Amino acid sequence: MIDPAAVPDLAALPDPAEVPDPVEVAAALRRAGVEADDSVRRRAEYSSDASLYRVVPAAVVFPRTADDAAATLEVCRALGVPLTARGAGTSIAGNAVGPGVVLDFSRHLNRVHEIDPGTRTALVDPGVVLDDLQRSAAAHGLRFGPDPSTHSRCTIGGMVGNNACGSRALGYGRTADNLVELDLVTGTGERLTARKGADPATSPTLSALAHAVQSRLAVIRTELGRFGRQVSGYSLEHLLPERGFNLPAALAGSEGTLGILLGARLQLTAVPPSTALAVLGYPDMASAADDVPQLLPCEPVAVEGLDRRIVDVVRGLRGDAALPRLPRGGGWLLVEVPGATPAEAEARAAEVVAAAAALDSRLITERAEAEALWRIREDGAGLVARTGRAHPGWEDAAVPPARLGAYLRDFELLLADHGLTGIPYGHFGDGCVHVRLDFPLERPHGPAAFRAFLEQAAELVGRHGGSMSGEHGDGRARGELLPFMYSPAALEAFGAVKAVFDPDGLLNPGVLVHPAPLDADLRLPAAAPLRTGLGLAHHRDGGDFTRAVHRCTGVGKCRASTPAPDTVMCPSYLATRDEKDSTRGRARVLQEMANGTLVHGWHAPEVAEALDLCLACKGCSADCPSGVDMAAYKAEYLYQRYRRRLRPAAHYSLGLLPFWARAASLAPGLANALLSGPLGRFGRVAAGVDPRREIPRFAPRTFRQWFASRPPSPSGERPVLLWVDTFTDHFTPQVGQAAVRVLERAGYTVRIPAQKLCCGLTTITTGQLALARRTLRRSIAALAPHAEAGVPIVGLEPSCTAVFRADAAELLGTTPAVTAVAQATHTLAELLTTTPGWTAPPLDDTRILAQPHCHHRAVLGWSADRALLARAGTTVHTVDGCCGLAGNFGAERGHYETSVRVAETSLLPAVRQAGADATLLADGFSCRTQLAQLAHRESLHLAELLDRR
């Protein structure tokens, strides 16, 4: 199909097996003055992107300047080593993995150099994150038009590479439509400035390109650019004479196969003063698609499809409170329209409703409600993954909008024929459908089934006049399928252009021209199950640790450049900006450990390095759309590595804190004197604690001692059992005392467990799971009779409370006792807000800055606390992100600097901005300790705040 004379033969391209040794490649790169890393751990981190494909690179380069990137290309050309450019690694089709050198622009080349309001342009590095650009542009009332769902971490270079579009491309255009000028170096080594209408005579590359296009005008005019989302292949229609030889637009979507982007000047657009959202309900997604052509004359900015099954996942995870009210239907269209005023936007949204043939509808004008729906839509890929196996590979097909309903019906029939299921959603206004499918890749016949389906799916989309890619690019998943969409003449044209820009075939080989087989290098078939000898049950993944770590689909939400509202993930990445400290980076190393070919076993140093700075905050368990729980994986790793072995000193000191606290309670004054005296520093070092950390002082009288000495709680019809955790009992008994008074005022008879118990939290986080299991079994046995009798159990320390709600089942199984205790366990806010007749004391004169504990937010949910404080009449501002102490993490030697940097990402700036008169609210003992030690501010537990009023 492709003229062999026009492009280099695939057999002549570098064979990954023949690529020089990683050590040699890295040495040559360092001699050229660039930052290169050939460590096994680093190569594992970059072995996959957000796709199904795994290709281990020889080295990873982090260019600091454009010259570094150009020098890297020169080294690769000299050695014959492939080169793959990468931004955030969110490519879903295997566009950002390669066997030679991976060039990561996101680490250093990430600056916005200029925003020019006069010309409405921006000059940026290729590694600039879209949200960072949008923040810079917003100061001038401007924005970059395309907005893919990965906007919090995707880079401009990656957007150019894939011709990214996003939800609002309907109104603002694709990336190709918003490019002014590109600075790049071609595969021949020529530095080139690409702009519309450039004179071909000024460059050898442009001259050859113009000749290649001129001799193929007929096929370019008839097969390319047929509709807006035709992204597959090269967009050579932009090079037609009647289109002004628009080279920047033609390079968009070339997936790094023609040149390495060094910088870009982008066209910006004005932010609309107001927007409104019409939500339209339909019986199913195909019916919603049928209605799209009637809505397009209303000139919406976005028309997005959302399936009920995605909404049901959110409802199951976060409850109805996380969802705005939706109209009736099995699927919805979210239709956004702009307006010069709120009234105009609302009127235009009403026109959309009038034009629609929907079952039901609703207009949303409140920004918070609209943003909640957009977040659900943006997290679609990961949320779908929570329903079971949900893989990319055929997630990006597009057809002309008028064909969308018919295509979806035929697509459902095709799925049924292959025994597959998927949940469609996406950019329905552009005819672009996203779907993740349950390909049986873990089974022996999986790759063959994958190939068979993709070939028939490609034939189907071609029959509907569509494109196999609508914005994600072809990559390794769809390049081989291009003959189902294009004639041999069109494919020959692609090859001719590739030969002009990259005659040696070194740039992102295996993509677009001379594509790699779509079923080669699949990551999952290589991963054997890990089921035996595990410390945790890993219930959600059928007891398979391999399946658990493969929950990471690579969408990279853990790499967000700033914390999203009400999220935590990923605090260590925010502190270091290093892929190794992202949830995804850690998951990739664990995946390589599971397949055993690059990282070997639980004791591999690469696993220790990857997990070292994980705070076990559990933020990913809630914030990762796919539900990765790195805290659980770290606990499993520590259990496996140190089982029947000598442990780090901190595991014996901090991990056994409840034991030491009970010993200290016999003579708290002496314990405090020893810890703060001359021996204190030596003791901290010996215990594996950073000497810069102050050890919290033991209370002179424990909470239990106080409770035993007070008059019995008044008898009443509302018994409640107060869980006495180690931190409340031994360090902050005043919190427990306040809680008792608040509960009694609410009409409860307060009791505490008769014996001293522990939830096992500190042994869980240090991986001492056998001890944690024994400890927790004893506690569950004591609590279960109360729970089964209908007595609510209230926890004051969020991390301990979360153990009963989540970790207990992982350690002890879902027994009736464990289930009863989990259902009976509540936070203070959860109990009070559901107590009949209880009224929150007025707090309207109090300015509150709240630091929700990570486990509170991730496992328990903070909505009850927010609702309680709202009832009290106060406005609460919450800190987005982790405090950085995270239990034993920030106290351990080697973690202090990271702990402080994490605090500086959100908490400490928020405290400084709030001012000295703001009340700081923090239920977590770690959070209050961090605030005291780094901000030198007192903070209150919710119980103390309510008790003071």
Side-chain angles (χ1 to χ4, degrees):
M1 282 176 271
I2 299 176
D3 181 4
V7 290
D9 183 25
L10 182 62
L13 298 181
D15 184 337
E18 299 174 1
V19 169
D21 183 87
V23 175
E24 296 177 11
V25 174
L29 290 165
R30 293 186 190 108
R31 286 194 298 270
V34 299
E35 181 183 339
D37 190 337
D38 64 324
S39 68
V40 169
R41 192 210 71 242
R42 185 67 80 189
R43 294 165 61 217
E45 292 158 10
Y46 285 77
S47 63
S48 189
D49 47 13
S51 73
L52 289 171
Y53 297 94
R54 170 188 178 269
V55 181
V56 180
V60 180
V61 168
F62 303 98
R64 294 181 178 272
T65 65
D67 289 342
D68 282 354
T72 301
L73 176 59
E74 284 304 306
V75 171
C76 289
R77 292 182 66 221
L79 297 178
V81 174
L83 178 60
T84 299
R86 174 171 168 138
T90 56
S91 301
I92 298 178
N95 326 59
V97 292
V101 172
V102 169
L103 193 61
D104 183 350
F105 285 96
S106 66
R107 185 94 178 265
H108 303 303
L109 277 172
N110 52 22
R111 289 177 296 167
V112 176
H113 292 279
E114 174 186 301
I115 302 288
D116 186 339
T119 61
R120 291 186 176 180
T121 62
L123 182 63
V124 301
D125 287 337
V128 165
V129 171
L130 177 57
D131 270 4
D132 293 340
L133 169 62
Q134 302 290 38
R135 276 186 285 272
S136 296
H140 305 280
L142 301 172
R143 59 164 289 161
F144 187 58
D147 60 344
S149 61
T150 53
H151 54 82
S152 65
R153 60 272 191 198
C154 72
T155 66
I156 296 300
M159 293 179 68
V160 172
N162 285 0
N163 195 8
C165 301
S167 301
R168 295 175 179 84
L170 189 63
Y172 300 131
R174 308 158 299 175
T175 297
D177 305 315
N178 293 274
L179 300 177
V180 178
E181 195 172 275
L182 300 179
D183 178 15
L184 72 152
V185 57
T186 71
T188 65
E190 180 183 356
R191 187 77 174 260
L192 185 66
T193 299
R195 60 174 67 91
K196 185 176 182 179
D199 183 359
T202 60
S203 158
T205 299
L206 295 187
S207 177
L209 177 63
H211 181 269
V213 170
Q214 190 65 33
S215 61
R216 296 168 175 85
L217 293 178
V219 69
I220 294 174
R221 284 180 175 135
T222 55
E223 294 198 40
L224 303 180
R226 292 178 289 104
F227 71 106
R229 287 299 184 102
Q230 185 180 348
V231 170
S232 282
Y234 291 141
S235 298
L236 303 184
E237 70 274 12
H238 296 292
L239 300 175
L240 291 168
E242 59 267 31
R243 296 209 182 188
F245 199 69
N246 189 347
L247 183 56
L251 289 170
S254 59
E255 304 181 39
T257 62
L258 302 181
I260 301 298
L261 184 66
L262 305 177
R265 185 169 289 278
L266 311 172
Q267 190 68 57
L268 304 178
T269 188
V271 175
S274 297
T275 59
L277 186 65
V279 185
L280 310 174
Y282 298 87
D284 51 52
M285 297 306 291
S287 301
D290 289 338
D291 212 18
V292 167
Q294 287 72 254
L295 306 179
L296 295 181
C298 298
E299 298 184 340
V301 170
V303 178
E304 295 293 294
L306 183 66
D307 192 284
R308 169 176 285 280
R309 288 167 289 182
I310 295 176
V311 171
D312 288 343
V313 172
V314 177
R315 183 177 284 112
L317 285 171
R318 303 166 193 162
D320 289 333
L323 290 167
R325 182 175 60 82
L326 290 167
R328 290 179 295 116
W332 298 274
L333 292 179
L334 312 181
V335 186
E336 183 177 285
V337 291
T341 64
E344 180 184 328
E346 189 169 351
R348 291 190 62 187
E351 293 175 4
V352 169
V353 172
L359 283 175
D360 195 7
S361 63
R362 183 179 173 222
L363 292 184
I364 295 180
T365 56
E366 289 294 326
R367 182 177 177 180
E369 277 195 289
E371 287 181 345
L373 274 179
W374 283 120
R375 279 197 295 272
I376 294 169
R377 164 58 194 85
E378 288 169 0
D379 286 345
L383 292 170
V384 167
R386 287 180 181 255
T387 64
R389 281 192 317 235
H391 302 305
W394 189 259
E395 81 299 322
D396 189 33
V399 298
R403 300 288 306 163
L404 185 57
Y407 167 73
L408 283 177
R409 291 181 177 90
D410 287 346
F411 185 69
E412 289 289 348
L413 293 174
L414 181 64
L415 290 177
D417 286 346
H418 285 262
L420 299 174
T421 59
I423 302 176
Y425 63 99
H427 314 301
F428 278 28
D430 287 306
C432 184
V433 179
H434 296 323
V435 62
R436 297 293 180 104
L437 302 176
D438 56 344
F439 298 117
L441 293 174
E442 302 89 344
R443 299 173 187 169
H445 72 285
F450 180 69
R451 169 175 284 279
F453 174 81
L454 262 59
E455 289 177 346
Q456 292 188 37
E459 188 276 331
L460 174 65
V461 82
R463 187 163 14 108
H464 281 274
S467 174
M468 287 174 293
S469 173
E471 64 179 340
H472 295 162
D474 298 310
R476 293 168 177 269
R478 291 178 283 272
E480 190 187 358
L481 300 172
L482 289 175
F484 286 97
M485 180 179 168
Y486 290 117
S487 69
L491 296 175
E492 186 276 335
F494 297 158
V497 170
K498 171 73 169 176
V500 167
F501 279 89
D502 183 30
D504 296 324
L506 294 179
L507 298 182
N508 211 5
V511 173
L512 286 172
V513 174
H514 289 313
L518 61 84
D519 51 357
D521 303 315
L522 292 173
R523 173 165 32 89
L524 283 171
L530 279 176
R531 297 177 178 276
T532 59
L534 298 177
L536 297 174
H538 304 287
H539 284 120
R540 294 183 304 156
D541 300 291
D544 183 356
F545 185 79
T546 295
R547 185 174 174 184
V549 298
H550 275 281
R551 272 185 173 272
C552 178
T553 59
V555 296
K557 194 174 180 182
C558 49
R559 280 181 49 110
S561 62
T562 56
D566 295 321
T567 62
V568 176
M569 183 183 71
C570 177
S572 51
Y573 176 77
L574 286 170
T576 68
R577 307 289 172 160
D578 191 327
E579 178 75 17
K580 83 176 180 68
D581 299 317
S582 68
T583 305
R584 181 180 70 184
R586 295 180 178 115
R588 292 292 181 245
V589 173
L590 289 170
Q591 288 167 7
E592 289 297 322
M593 184 200 77
N595 69 45
T597 57
L598 188 63
V599 176
H600 303 291
W602 296 103
H603 295 87
E606 295 82 13
V607 182
E609 293 169 14
L611 292 174
D612 180 46
L613 295 187
C614 172
L615 286 81
C617 67
K618 284 192 174 290
C620 51
S621 67
D623 299 338
C624 170
S626 303
V628 170
D629 187 353
M630 195 55 63
Y633 308 163
K634 182 175 183 177
E636 184 71 65
Y637 154 72
L638 292 172
Y639 172 70
Q640 299 293 343
R641 179 174 182 180
Y642 293 111
R643 186 164 44 168
R644 295 185 292 272
R645 289 178 174 85
L646 189 66
R647 289 176 165 271
H651 288 197
Y652 299 109
S653 57
L654 301 172
L656 301 180
L657 179 64
F659 170 81
W660 300 117
R662 289 176 190 174
S665 68
L666 300 175
L670 177 60
N672 289 330
L674 290 174
L675 290 172
S676 60
L679 294 177
R681 180 181 176 86
F682 173 78
R684 289 197 292 275
V685 171
V689 175
D690 192 288
R692 290 166 288 186
R693 272 291 170 199
E694 300 173 36
I695 301 298
R697 296 180 66 81
F698 293 101
R701 185 166 68 153
T702 67
F703 169 76
R704 279 185 167 276
Q705 290 169 341
W706 172 85
F707 191 85
S709 67
R710 70 189 297 271
S713 184
S715 297
E717 297 180 357
R718 293 179 179 169
V720 64
L721 189 73
L722 184 64
W723 172 255
V724 184
D725 62 87
T726 295
F727 306 101
T728 300
D729 193 22
H730 295 281
F731 295 100
T732 56
Q734 69 274 14
V735 170
Q737 295 165 18
V740 169
R741 290 189 289 267
V742 169
L743 289 168
E744 288 181 346
R745 292 190 199 111
Y748 286 97
T749 301
V750 182
R751 298 288 182 263
I752 66 173
Q755 65 258 64
K756 294 181 180 180
L757 301 170
C758 179
C759 68
L761 170 70
T762 57
T763 50
I764 295 171
T765 57
T766 53
Q768 301 180 74
L769 299 184
L771 177 57
R773 190 175 293 106
R774 293 195 298 272
T775 301
L776 192 53
R777 184 177 289 115
R778 181 167 172 258
S779 296
I780 291 291
L783 297 178
H786 299 277
E788 291 162 353
V791 177
I793 302 166
V794 171
L796 300 177
E797 176 59 36
S799 53
C800 298
T801 309
V803 169
F804 294 117
R805 290 264 281 266
D807 300 273
E810 284 294 306
L811 284 162
L812 302 178
T814 53
T815 66
V818 168
T819 301
V821 171
Q823 293 174 346
T825 300
H826 309 277
T827 67
L828 181 63
E830 287 173 339
L831 182 69
L832 291 176
T833 53
T834 56
T835 298
W838 181 82
T839 302
L843 297 168
D844 50 282
D845 61 338
T846 305
R847 294 174 54 245
I848 295 176
L849 175 67
Q851 168 67 47
H853 188 283
C854 294
H855 292 191
H856 194 157
R857 186 150 32 190
V859 179
L860 309 169
W862 208 73
S863 57
D865 298 71
R866 193 186 303 278
L868 185 154
L869 293 165
R871 290 185 197 176
T874 187
T875 300
V876 181
H877 297 281
T878 58
V879 176
D880 298 317
C882 180
C883 75
L885 184 52
N888 57 288
F889 173 84
E892 291 176 350
R893 190 165 59 250
H895 293 164
Y896 181 81
E897 289 81 3
T898 300
S899 175
V900 173
R901 285 201 298 268
V902 170
E904 283 289 358
T905 60
S906 297
L907 176 60
L908 296 182
V911 170
R912 289 190 283 266
Q913 185 177 358
D917 57 340
T919 296
L920 304 184
L921 180 64
D923 280 6
F925 177 72
S926 290
C927 305
R928 295 196 300 274
T929 301
Q930 188 83 314
L931 282 164
Q933 295 188 3
L934 299 185
H936 308 292
R937 292 283 301 273
E938 178 195 22
S939 53
L940 300 177
H941 190 284
L942 178 63
E944 295 176 288
L945 180 66
L946 298 176
D947 185 42
R948 289 190 178 188
R949 293 288 172 149

